[in-house]
Every structure is written in structure tokens, then in C-alpha cells.
Amino acid sequence: LSLEILQEGYVSSFIELFELFDQQAQLRENAGSDSGVHEVPLLIDQHDKLDVLKSKLIEAEEARRSGAPDNSYQSYLELAQYFEKFPSDQWLIDHFHEKCMSESSKVEEDGGRKLAEANYNIGIALEKRGDLSSAVDYLEKFYNLTTEQEWQDKIGDNLHDIASLQLYRTYTCLAEELYEEAPSVSIDYLKKAFH
């Protein structure tokens, strides 16, 4: 499969795929032999996932070549969403959200919407992992980027309203988490939540 990508002329996709293989090997090595990470099959042995990766990485590379970073962003987003079905692939979700962030900064014609969405997606991924303090940083950026914008999601909800609700929820969860060890910081987060 990797050679097919290279033979078809998609050098960037080939390199990225091998970097992913290396990243997984490094994650396994760092986790140690008694970690559950070793029970998860290697990406190189998961042919269905490789087929999806090949298709979307090639789409992203073609979009970059043609000067369409919004389409490249979309291909990476679809990869992140695909891997959300597999709890053991959080590292791939993170990787493709970071790729979305990178591509979003190249999209000029959307007024910053893709950048806002990329911040939201990373913030939500961090929140799901329980890293609330890091999530807040991204969600605050999402909030700021959607201020005074009329952007809506697929079902018609205003993105700034979504940002407000998400920040409220994350601030209150963080305040609850910090209440015992840092009551003054906890209160500060509650103030932000109700601001």
C-alpha cells in the first residue's frame, strides 16, 4: 500500500504514512511492555484503516497541490472523525486535528471559521481525555474567534452560542475539579463561567 502511494506520485502522503508508523512505534516503546498499548494491533497491520488513510491523505495532498487548503482541511477532519470510532486511536485523532489546525491557518476566504473550528475540535478532544486546563485554552480561542460572527453549524446553531455553552461547561467542571486543592482558582473559573 505504501509503495502504491509512492508509485502514484504522492510523496507527501507516503512520508506522512511512514511518520505515523514511526510515531506509533515510539508510543509503544515509551509506554513499556506492560502497557495495554501493546494489545492494539499496529496500524501497518490494519488494512481497512490503511485504505481510509491512503484515500484521505491523497485527497489532502491533491488539495494542497491545487492551492485548496480548505479541501485539505476537510480531508484531515474526516480522518480525525473516522478514528473517533476507535478509542485506542486517540493519537491519530490528535494528529489529524493538529493537521487541521495547520491547514486552517492557510484558508483565507472564510474569515477564520476553519481556524475557529480547529480550536474547538482540539478543545473537545482534550476535554474528553480529561485535560480540562488545556481544553480551556483552545475553547477560549474558539469563543474569541466566533465573537460577532454569524457562523452556524450543520443544524443551524450559532457557533458563538456553542462556544459560550461549551466554555460554561468546561469552566464549571474545572472549578469542581480544583475546588479542594485550589479554592481561589476554582472560584475564578466559576466567575468566568457565569460572566
Side-chain angles (χ1 to χ4, degrees), residues 54-72:
K54 175 187 174 189
S55 171
K56 293 298 173 184
L57 289 176
I58 287 173
E59 273 183 21
E61 185 171 348
E62 287 176 342
R64 282 192 311 277
R65 287 179 183 178
S66 66
D70 53 330
N71 292 339
S72 181

Side-chain angles (χ1 to χ4, degrees), residues 24 40-51 86 89:
Q24 186 182 34
V40 177
L42 290 170
L43 184 58
I44 199 167
D45 297 327
Q46 298 181 60
H47 300 288
D48 290 345
K49 291 179 183 179
L50 287 176
D51 288 340
F86 308 102
D89 289 334

Side-chain angles (χ1 to χ4, degrees), residues 94 98 101 118-143 166-167 170-171 173-175 177-178 185 189 192:
D94 294 343
E98 289 296 332
M101 181 67 79
N119 276 284
Y120 173 78
N121 290 330
I122 291 174
I124 294 299
L126 289 166
E127 184 189 53
K128 286 179 183 176
R129 278 205 311 270
D131 188 353
L132 298 178
S133 57
S134 295
V136 161
D137 293 337
Y138 288 96
L139 294 171
E140 286 175 342
K141 289 175 189 168
F142 174 59
Y143 177 87
Q166 186 62 46
L167 264 179
T170 307
Y171 283 149
C173 288
L174 197 51
E177 184 179 284
L178 296 171
V185 175
Y189 278 117
K192 285 183 174 186

Side-chain angles (χ1 to χ4, degrees), residues 52-188:
V52 173
L53 275 167
K54 175 187 174 189
S55 171
K56 293 298 173 184
L57 289 176
I58 287 173
E59 273 183 21
E61 185 171 348
E62 287 176 342
R64 282 192 311 277
R65 287 179 183 178
S66 66
D70 53 330
N71 292 339
S72 181
Y73 170 95
Q74 188 61 39
S75 295
Y76 287 130
L77 180 60
E78 288 170 11
L79 278 167
Q81 292 168 339
Y82 170 77
F83 284 107
E84 285 175 0
K85 299 184 287 188
F86 308 102
S88 61
D89 289 334
Q90 185 62 50
W91 66 282
L92 286 166
I93 297 166
D94 294 343
H95 173 82
F96 290 115
H97 280 314
E98 289 296 332
K99 295 295 281 192
C100 286
M101 181 67 79
S102 174
E103 290 302 302
S104 71
S105 64
K106 300 171 190 168
V107 178
E108 298 173 358
E109 65 274 356
D110 74 344
R113 179 180 174 140
K114 294 261 188 303
L115 181 60
E117 291 173 354
N119 276 284
Y120 173 78
N121 290 330
I122 291 174
I124 294 299
L126 289 166
E127 184 189 53
K128 286 179 183 176
R129 278 205 311 270
D131 188 353
L132 298 178
S133 57
S134 295
V136 161
D137 293 337
Y138 288 96
L139 294 171
E140 286 175 342
K141 289 175 189 168
F142 174 59
Y143 177 87
N144 292 331
L145 288 165
T146 59
T147 300
E148 298 182 16
Q149 299 291 340
E150 296 300 319
W151 300 327
Q152 295 180 344
D153 67 5
K154 291 178 183 175
I155 60 172
D157 292 333
N158 179 280
L159 293 186
H160 190 67
D161 292 344
I162 292 169
S164 297
L165 290 170
Q166 186 62 46
L167 264 179
Y168 167 80
R169 192 176 93 223
T170 307
Y171 283 149
T172 54
C173 288
L174 197 51
E176 186 177 317
E177 184 179 284
L178 296 171
Y179 181 72
E180 293 294 324
E181 64 184 66
S184 63
V185 175
S186 176
I187 290 170
D188 289 342

